[in-house]
Amino acid sequence: MAKTSHIVVVSIPSFSHQSSIIEFCKRFIHLHHNIHVTCIFPIIDAPIQATLKLLESLPPSINYTFLPPINQQDLPQDGVTQIQLAVAQSMPSFRNSLQSLCSTNPVVALVADPLASQALEIAKEFNLLSFIYYPLSAMTTSLHLHLSTLHEQISCDYIDHPNPIRIPGCIPIHGQDLPGDFFHHRSSIAYKLFLQHSKNFSLANGLLVNTFSEMEESTIKALQEKYNTIENNTEVYLVGPIIQSGSESTKLKGSDCEKWLDKQKPNSVLFVCFGSGGTLSQEQLNELAFGLELSSVKFLWVLREPSNSSYVGPYSVGSDDAILKFLPHGFLERTKEQGLVVPFWAPQTQILSHTSTGGFLTHCGWNSILESVVFGVPMITWPLFGEQRMNAILLTEGLEVGLKVKFNDNGIADRNEIAEVIRALMLSEERSEIQQRIEALKDAATSALAEDGSSSRALSQFGIRMENLMLEK
């Protein structure tokens, strides 16, 4: 009987990261039946409910475990700092868990989220090869890997740097468009923690990046030229596009969303959703509502409660009636023939794949972008936090498959601006050109995911490397 290779995967307390790495594991073991995976999740207070739902669809060769919870009351309120500190405080428990796994079922390698880079150090203690799984763009990956160099080159806060910042293989980026959570203030705890992560990345024996060559050609070329060398012995595996599947796939069928979408014309509906954690202020929510109404375009809007923070965490729970009260007075009545408002959550991949969906107003999270590309849906970019400004620039200036919403000096997009960009994406002559470009990307994504496609080949190469490690043990 063939030996079973066992790899350990560690993520962070963020649904977008957890969902991506879970889907990576499912796709990976689908191609490699002799490999067993254990997913380890640090948590803050309790497991994320949406993650628990995804874990219900795991095949038998993937196990998971949650580390002892870190008390949110003992952490700062800033989301990025909170996550990084929670992961750091979970590392002793992670080491114990890894030691237990190694003693019962020999582990050959570790795959870690970039914000769990401390695990790479622990992997060396156990003589394991280690890899970083990037649930992010190659552009963001290149920034992460180049940060130590940038830190030496630029002495001021990046937001104050007068010239565009050059990241290998990428469109030049202004400092204000770098992830504000990390990069706007070098004195912040978040930045100092992330700088340490960037120094740990050199410990990895390879990079698994959730993208494909046609999506980010020049950036991928720069990464491969730097890392795919005999001297460096660090391989770059392009394993994307990996998007959500499985447990979500049946949730549209028979729902109000499906019934409403089925009544609409092909490519006529704008899907509006800010991901699993994004939210708007009450003022901005009002302007978006009026903008949708003014556009006269059909829309399906996933509504979340307003907040002065752009991130409130995944999938709020509450009364549908209570959240609908945040909408402007009379909005639902005036738009009852034009749109559908869905409280809290909707099955995004299924909506994007529906023939009636013709546009996507998105916060530009990488998971959402890949889903839109896979189904060939043009985008309106509305970045909120993290690396989303960089992603928006890639979409609008690099790939030219989306249009951007413009914000005023107070950081608000007004209703007229919103209505204008919606009509431009959905109704103008410009739409056909954008549609052609994203259809080409869709075809490339389909080819990458094919049995002999680039993503499948990369996963096969990585799997063979894992199997060979087992034979050496």
Side-chain angles (χ1 to χ4, degrees):
M1 182 180 292
K3 289 183 176 179
T4 300
S5 300
H6 186 195
I7 65 173
V8 170
V9 171
V10 59
S11 189
I12 63 171
S14 163
F15 177 68
S16 62
H17 286 237
Q18 290 177 355
S19 63
S20 184
I21 209 164
I22 289 168
E23 295 297 340
F24 160 75
C25 292
K26 287 163 62 177
R27 180 157 159 72
F28 178 56
I29 61 97
H30 176 73
L31 297 173
H32 294 278
H33 304 299
N34 288 331
I35 293 179
H36 187 89
V37 177
T38 297
C39 299
I40 298 179
F41 299 104
I43 59 177
I44 299 172
D45 284 351
I48 298 169
Q49 288 299 309
T51 298
L52 291 174
K53 202 69 180 168
L54 279 183
L55 293 172
E56 292 176 0
S57 64
L58 289 186
S61 54
I62 302 178
N63 291 336
Y64 64 90
T65 185
F66 293 103
L67 298 177
I70 303 300
N71 191 336
Q72 187 174 23
Q73 297 300 318
D74 299 333
L75 298 168
Q77 291 304 301
D78 170 58
V80 173
T81 307
Q82 185 179 98
I83 287 172
Q84 291 188 89
L85 288 176
V87 172
Q89 292 177 28
S90 296
M91 281 298 119
S93 297
F94 170 76
R95 180 186 281 104
N96 293 338
S97 184
L98 184 60
Q99 185 172 32
S100 176
L101 288 168
C102 288
S103 65
T104 57
N105 188 358
V107 176
V108 297
L110 171 81
V111 177
D113 187 277
L115 294 187
S117 73
Q118 302 94 330
L120 304 176
E121 300 175 285
I122 296 172
K124 299 301 178 189
E125 296 176 24
F126 291 87
N127 198 30
L128 303 176
L129 287 192
S130 59
F131 302 83
I132 304 171
Y133 174 72
Y134 279 93
L136 308 164
S137 67
M139 188 180 193
T140 304
T141 302
S142 188
L143 171 63
H144 287 187
L145 297 169
H146 190 59
L147 181 60
S148 294
T149 302
L150 277 181
H151 184 76
E152 297 298 325
Q153 291 175 341
I154 299 173
S155 58
C156 63
D157 284 342
Y158 299 109
I159 195 171
D160 296 326
H161 191 61
N163 302 316
I165 293 170
R166 299 193 174 274
I167 304 163
C170 303
I171 301 169
I173 298 289
H174 291 285
Q176 66 188 24
D177 293 321
L178 293 176
D181 321 66
F182 295 117
F183 296 104
H184 284 183
H185 302 289
R186 291 160 65 103
S187 61
S188 69
I189 296 173
Y191 179 79
K192 291 174 181 176
L193 289 169
F194 197 80
L195 184 62
Q196 185 56 52
H197 287 304
S198 72
K199 293 174 180 176
N200 288 345
F201 295 158
S202 62
L203 299 172
N205 300 101
L207 311 173
L208 300 146
V209 189
N210 189 13
T211 192
F212 58 102
S213 56
E214 291 84 355
M215 188 89 173
E216 302 182 85
E217 190 171 359
S218 62
T219 308
I220 288 164
K221 183 180 178 182
L223 285 173
Q224 291 176 331
E225 285 177 351
K226 181 174 181 179
Y227 290 99
N228 286 6
T229 63
I230 295 174
E231 298 82 8
N232 195 57
N233 197 31
T234 302
E235 292 215 41
V236 178
Y237 301 92
L238 305 180
V239 298
I242 290 171
I243 64 172
Q244 275 195 57
S245 60
S247 62
E248 189 190 57
S249 61
T250 59
K251 291 184 178 178
L252 183 65
K253 194 167 184 62
S255 68
D256 290 341
C257 285
E258 183 189 45
K259 293 173 184 175
W260 186 84
L261 285 168
D262 286 346
K263 296 176 183 176
Q264 312 309 319
K265 295 178 181 178
N267 299 317
S268 65
V269 175
L270 177 71
F271 178 49
V272 181
C273 183
F274 295 94
S276 60
T279 189
L280 306 176
S281 67
Q282 181 65 69
E283 179 184 3
Q284 185 62 86
L285 189 153
N286 290 342
E287 291 299 310
L288 175 55
F290 289 125
L292 288 166
E293 184 178 352
L294 281 171
S295 75
S296 299
V297 168
K298 298 278 187 175
F299 65 86
L300 195 164
W301 180 9
V302 179
L303 180 67
R304 301 193 69 191
E305 69 277 20
S307 170
N308 290 327
S309 170
S310 61
Y311 179 83
V312 295
Y315 303 165
S316 305
V317 177
S319 162
D320 290 1
D321 290 339
I323 195 170
L324 293 175
K325 290 178 180 176
F326 290 114
L327 292 167
H329 180 70
F331 173 78
L332 289 175
E333 179 63 27
R334 294 193 304 273
T335 61
K336 63 183 180 182
E337 301 299 326
Q338 180 189 353
L340 177 68
V341 177
V342 181
F344 303 116
W345 181 88
Q348 181 163 294
T349 56
Q350 301 307 299
I351 291 170
L352 288 171
S353 65
H354 197 282
T355 56
S356 293
T357 303
F360 184 19
L361 194 161
T362 172
H363 70 314
C364 300
W366 191 242
N367 291 342
S368 292
I369 287 172
L370 289 181
E371 289 165 7
S372 206
V373 166
V374 165
F375 298 114
V377 180
M379 285 164 273
I380 293 173
T381 63
W382 190 312
L384 294 177
F385 54 85
E387 82 289 354
Q388 292 163 12
R389 285 180 180 272
M390 292 174 59
N391 293 343
I393 290 169
L394 172 65
L395 292 175
T396 57
E397 298 180 22
L399 297 168
E400 297 182 306
V401 293
L403 301 177
K404 62 182 178 181
V405 172
K406 297 175 184 175
F407 300 89
N408 62 28
D409 292 342
N410 295 321
I412 296 293
D414 70 50
R415 62 194 71 180
N416 293 315
E417 162 64 19
I418 294 167
E420 183 178 345
V421 75
I422 290 173
R423 287 193 291 263
L425 184 80
M426 301 296 289
L427 304 174
S428 74
E429 293 180 3
E430 189 176 7
R431 175 183 172 79
S432 62
E433 297 176 3
I434 295 173
Q435 186 71 61
Q436 286 178 12
R437 286 190 286 268
I438 203 160
E439 285 290 341
L441 269 185
K442 174 185 176 180
D443 292 343
T446 301
S447 296
L449 294 171
E451 188 176 341
D452 61 345
S454 58
S455 175
S456 300
R457 292 197 305 272
L459 285 168
S460 293
Q461 291 164 5
F462 179 64
I464 291 168
R465 192 172 179 183
M466 297 302 98
E467 290 167 354
N468 289 340
L469 286 173
M470 189 67 239
L471 293 174
E472 294 169 7
K473 282 196 175 278

